[in-house]
Amino acid sequence: MFAAARPEPGKPVRQALKIEGGGVALFEASSWRVQPMSDNPQLVEMRSRRELQRYTKRDIEAYLSDVVDSAKVRKNPQAFQQ
């Protein structure tokens, strides 16, 4: 979505996107704007930490999901016998 061209006035940009689970989402951007960035270093640091935590958590969850999906478990009934 963010790689799409910026829409011109009166000419919206429409695009289909693949989403997780094999689905498709359609989006339309009819205008754009750029928010001014704050010069407050504490706010910038807080946003950076929040984004890092969000992406780290998502990466860990994806890794664990992949491990669980690809794991091969074999039972050894003798493992608990004495």
Side-chain angles (χ1 to χ4, degrees):
M1 189 164 72
F2 294 103
R6 290 182 176 168
E8 296 178 23
K11 296 181 182 179
V13 173
R14 295 179 182 100
Q15 191 170 349
L17 303 169
K18 291 182 182 179
I19 57 174
E20 293 178 13
V24 176
L26 301 174
F27 88 94
E28 175 181 288
S30 57
S31 66
W32 62 277
R33 65 181 175 178
V34 177
Q35 294 288 341
M37 292 297 292
S38 171
D39 292 337
N40 182 343
Q42 292 174 331
L43 185 58
V44 171
E45 177 66 25
M46 182 184 73
R47 286 180 179 162
S48 296
R49 267 190 271 121
R50 185 175 55 205
E51 287 299 308
L52 180 62
Q53 289 173 348
R54 189 175 84 186
Y55 287 115
T56 302
K57 181 180 178 184
R58 186 178 68 190
D59 290 343
I60 290 170
E61 289 173 351
Y63 171 76
L64 291 176
S65 176
D66 186 49
V67 168
V68 169
D69 290 345
S70 62
K72 294 181 182 177
V73 178
R74 291 182 293 164
K75 295 181 181 180
N76 182 355
Q78 298 172 351
F80 298 104
Q81 293 179 357
Q82 292 186 342

